[in-house]
Amino acid sequence: MAKYAAGSGISEIKCILAGFVMQGYLGFATVVIKSITLPLVIASGLSVGKEGPSVHVACCIGSLVAGLFKKFSRSQGKMRDIVTAASAAGVAVAFGSPIGGVLFSIEEMSHGFSIKTMWRSFLCALVATVTLSAMNPFRTGKLVLFQITYDRDWHFFEIMFYVILGIFGGLYGAFMVKFNLQVAAFRRKHLANHGVAEAVTLATLTAMIGYFNRFLRMDMTSSMAILFRECEGGGNVGDLCQTPAQWQITHSLLLATIIRTGLVVISYGCKVPAGIFVPSMAIGATFGRMIGILVKAMERAHPGHGIFAVCAPDVPCITPGTYAFLGAAAALSGVMRITVTVVVIMFELTGALNYILPTMIVLLVTKAVGDFLGTNGIADEMIRFNGFPFLEKEDHAYNVSVSAVMRTEMHTLVESGMNVKQVEDLLEATNVNGFPIESADGLRHIIGYIGRTELRYVLDRTKKMPRVNDDTRCQFVPRDSEHSTHSVSFGIEEEAAGTSFFESALSEGGLRFWPWVNLVRCCLLSQLSLEIVMQLFKRMGPRVILVENHGVLTGLVTVKDVLKFIVTKPAHELSWDDRGGLDGLLEEVWTWATENIHRTNLPAHP
């Protein structure tokens, strides 16, 4: 019904904002199915979150609403601005963090971000947060279940323990990205047609394993709400703050961290609406609370000695809940590779100004570890894994001209002289997404560009008319008498054009295609630097850029051409299927299981 409703959606939306076209990804069916199935997935107990799908749903709504207005539907640039602003609303609702949502749309979603888009994002996030606050979903006045406030301050000697949390966040991000992609490679190879069975199996496995651990048994948001609390503020749930039970609690927290990490590795990416924000935060919270309990145990064992000499007597010195809070921030930053956004989200969750500095320290260490290990965010890695044409902000190509990358073998159309039969034969013989149009005088001057979809659309609509046959001439540029009526190119969405419009497309000169031709084409000189071309792709998002030399068509370049050039290196990088590790182990298990099933089904011989 809606194949795009599965998954998180952040990776694909980043590609759409960069100019990649995915028909139906922001459509009505997608938002309806995802809105219905997302609560069911969360209620199933799978180790996935709702934040990524919330961003996808918000972007779908923004795209659908903006599509009702011609000002936005006729401009892909303005439409992308609206989708970017809508993504801020998704994060704002998920975390109750309007400013964090705006920063997320800047830091994670968009390449080029204008002041106007920032104000639109701010307005969307503000309205979404006010609406959520008016609804009061938890009947507690809180926007999210794990919202918390801290009364006590931190001590400088705790920085060494904060560094440990930062190191954990960086290592967790690298581990999650590496092994989740290997599981994704196995899923693509063997489980592509078994999405429902996989989801049911994962839900059953998660319930069976999690039942025996108190922190896995409850849902992740409730678990974080308990782990974030101060012991003196009603946080002693299940003997969490009792000294006699501290080693048993520590053992349970360690197991919860390890087991949930494994569950997230195999669950994120299955064919259900699934995010990774809250699962990562839950993992960081259990690890952070464990570290906080250990530090508090050290302080109780050696009160007033060494680094604990600064602690005031008869006043709690260590707050384990803050360690859970900082661990959650570290894990989220490690897997998504975002920093400023996480700091602001965490500040808006707690309202504690005095914990901004510890949060910044933890995320700085997390980023340093991730940079040292060469880790990219999981959204960016999923883009590369799926083969989407997307240029990262860090992708550059200096001292290279566009002529080294451009395609010189092209399929072109002539402005006049071609008939319907020739155009249809060209469409049948090629699979390119568009055709440059050159002059009919043989000098190959660039006239314009028309997409394959638009070309096929006009042919299908006009072939039903009695005056159109295979010998009908095709006209791709307006004649002098028609220049006054040619104001703007049409797209497929402009079906204001009913049958009468297509009947008027017939003239004495033949079938007029020029209303769908992009005469304001994007052209560059062949000697231009490839770096400038990459900046154009990043900021403007064109599908194709034509290359010319004194007005003569010499080639064209797409994002895929640039990516092929970037990844072409002397050292061969192994694909996800070629790498060893978890995917190799899964491959061995799959082979063993299929062989035993095959043997079991063989008929017995007397």
Side-chain angles (χ1 to χ4, degrees):
M1 296 177 66
K3 62 179 181 179
Y4 292 135
S8 171
I10 292 179
S11 303
E12 291 80 2
I13 292 172
K14 288 184 68 173
C15 294
I16 291 174
L17 294 177
F20 185 52
V21 177
M22 299 181 70
Q23 296 293 341
Y25 197 83
L26 301 177
F28 181 75
T30 302
V31 67
V32 170
I33 298 300
K34 197 153 194 170
S35 300
I36 295 174
T37 55
L38 180 58
L40 302 177
V41 172
I42 301 302
S44 70
L46 281 172
S47 293
V48 294
K50 67 180 188 302
E51 286 66 30
S54 297
V55 173
H56 187 189
V57 170
C59 290
C60 289
I61 295 174
S63 177
L64 291 172
V65 173
L68 301 176
F69 302 91
K70 291 184 178 180
K71 175 183 177 181
F72 298 103
S73 62
R74 289 187 174 183
S75 173
Q76 291 297 319
K78 291 180 179 179
M79 185 66 79
R80 287 197 289 266
D81 287 344
I82 294 298
V83 174
T84 303
S87 68
V91 174
V93 169
F95 289 104
S97 172
I99 305 301
V102 175
L103 290 176
F104 177 82
S105 63
I106 296 175
E107 186 176 4
E108 179 69 8
M109 302 302 293
S110 180
H111 275 298
F113 205 88
S114 64
I115 298 298
K116 183 182 293 186
T117 305
M118 184 181 70
W119 280 112
R120 287 172 176 168
S121 300
F122 179 77
L123 179 62
C124 286
L126 176 63
V127 173
T129 307
V130 169
T131 304
L132 182 66
S133 179
M135 294 176 65
N136 193 14
F138 301 108
R139 301 297 184 265
T140 60
K142 296 181 179 180
L143 297 181
V144 290
L145 194 60
F146 48 86
Q147 194 169 351
I148 193 68
T149 302
Y150 295 116
D151 299 325
R152 290 197 295 271
D153 207 342
W154 56 283
H155 304 86
F156 273 97
F157 71 82
E158 293 182 271
I159 291 179
M160 66 177 71
F161 304 111
Y162 296 158
V163 170
I164 296 175
L165 296 178
I167 294 174
F168 168 79
L171 294 176
Y172 165 77
F175 178 88
M176 181 59 62
V177 170
K178 176 180 175 61
F179 289 103
N180 180 258
L181 288 175
Q182 293 185 1
V183 172
F186 175 82
R187 179 180 291 117
R188 172 185 290 179
K189 188 173 182 180
H190 297 292
L191 303 176
N193 299 322
H194 308 285
V196 175
E198 180 192 6
V200 172
T201 303
L202 288 174
T204 305
L205 183 66
T206 302
M208 293 175 61
I209 295 177
Y211 180 78
F212 299 98
N213 187 285
R214 68 179 74 183
F215 300 106
L216 297 177
R217 193 159 51 236
M218 64 183 75
D219 65 275
M220 291 177 286
T221 52
S222 300
S223 173
M224 283 192 290
I226 293 173
L227 294 174
F228 286 175
R229 292 180 191 169
E230 295 179 348
C231 288
E232 291 74 20
N236 188 21
V237 179
D239 296 332
L240 185 62
C241 299
Q242 295 298 321
T243 303
Q246 63 184 6
W247 300 117
Q248 181 183 357
I249 295 295
T250 302
H251 181 258
S252 296
L253 288 170
L254 179 60
L255 283 179
T257 302
I258 296 173
I259 294 173
R260 195 180 294 281
T261 300
L263 292 175
V264 174
V265 165
I266 62 176
S267 299
Y268 181 70
C270 64
K271 295 301 178 63
V272 297
I276 201 170
F277 282 46
V278 163
S280 296
M281 292 178 67
I283 292 170
T286 53
F287 180 83
R289 185 75 185 211
M290 180 188 70
I291 296 296
I293 292 175
L294 293 177
V295 176
K296 189 170 185 177
M298 292 169 57
E299 188 268 336
R300 284 178 174 174
H302 307 283
H305 294 80
I307 59 176
F308 303 111
V310 297
C311 296
D314 301 326
V315 176
C317 180
I318 305 297
T319 307
T322 60
Y323 286 79
F325 164 78
L326 295 173
L332 176 58
S333 177
V335 75
M336 292 298 298
R337 300 290 288 150
I338 52 179
T339 52
V340 180
T341 301
V342 178
V343 172
V344 175
I345 287 176
M346 290 302 179
F347 165 67
E348 291 185 286
L349 282 175
T350 61
L353 280 170
N354 51 343
Y355 277 94
I356 287 183
L357 183 57
T359 307
M360 295 175 66
I361 293 172
V362 170
L363 298 189
L364 179 63
V365 176
T366 299
K367 186 180 186 316
V369 174
D371 291 342
F372 176 77
L373 298 175
T375 306
N376 293 317
I378 194 166
D380 297 330
E381 289 293 350
M382 288 303 296
I383 289 173
R384 297 185 181 182
F385 177 80
N386 291 320
F388 295 141
F390 181 78
L391 289 172
E392 298 285 351
K393 296 178 183 178
E394 296 79 14
D395 289 336
H396 298 283
Y398 300 108
N399 301 322
V400 180
S401 65
V402 68
S403 59
V405 181
M406 68 180 186
R407 303 182 192 178
T408 55
E409 297 180 1
M410 299 170 291
H411 301 281
T412 60
L413 298 170
V414 183
E415 60 177 332
S416 61
M418 299 183 70
N419 58 33
V420 171
K421 175 65 174 172
Q422 291 174 321
V423 174
E424 288 190 328
D425 289 343
L426 183 61
L427 287 173
E428 291 293 331
T430 62
N431 59 356
V432 294
N433 292 324
F435 302 90
I437 301 171
E438 57 187 19
S439 60
D441 54 11
L443 298 178
R444 301 198 69 184
H445 287 132
I446 301 176
I447 303 300
Y449 184 86
I450 185 171
R452 181 188 189 91
T453 306
E454 288 80 5
L455 201 60
R456 184 77 268 173
Y457 174 73
V458 177
L459 286 174
D460 291 341
R461 294 294 295 268
T462 55
K463 283 282 285 184
K464 302 174 183 177
M465 299 179 184
R467 290 189 294 163
V468 178
N469 53 52
D470 290 345
D471 296 325
T472 302
R473 294 291 179 180
C474 298
Q475 184 180 344
F476 292 97
V477 292
R479 294 179 298 178
D480 294 337
S481 60
E482 297 171 327
H483 271 288
S484 61
T485 62
H486 179 59
S487 58
V488 65
S489 297
F490 291 98
I492 290 179
E493 294 80 2
E494 282 75 16
E495 281 194 47
T499 307
S500 59
F501 178 85
F502 286 95
E503 289 177 351
S504 66
L506 289 170
S507 66
E508 296 178 359
L511 185 59
R512 296 184 295 180
F513 284 88
W514 54 259
W516 288 270
V517 174
N518 183 9
L519 299 178
V520 189
R521 65 273 179 193
C522 186
C523 297
L524 299 173
L525 293 173
S526 57
Q527 295 83 12
L528 195 67
S529 170
L530 180 60
E531 177 64 22
I532 298 179
V533 177
M534 294 173 66
Q535 292 300 321
L536 287 175
F537 278 123
K538 293 176 183 179
R539 297 177 183 274
M540 297 177 61
R543 300 185 189 181
V544 63
I545 294 178
L546 303 181
V547 184
E548 53 94 13
N549 188 12
H550 300 291
V552 177
L553 179 65
T554 58
L556 61 83
V557 60
T558 64
V559 176
K560 290 184 178 180
D561 298 325
V562 177
L563 289 173
K564 288 179 182 177
F565 177 80
I566 292 176
V567 301
T568 303
K569 298 178 181 179
H572 173 64
E573 184 177 354
L574 295 177
S575 67
W576 299 109
D577 294 321
D578 296 333
R579 295 182 181 184
L582 184 58
D583 55 342
L585 176 62
L586 292 174
E587 190 72 33
E588 292 293 334
V589 174
W590 179 268
T591 304
W592 174 83
T594 52
E595 288 179 354
N596 282 282
I597 293 174
H598 179 70
R599 291 173 184 172
T600 304
N601 294 333
L602 289 176
H605 295 284

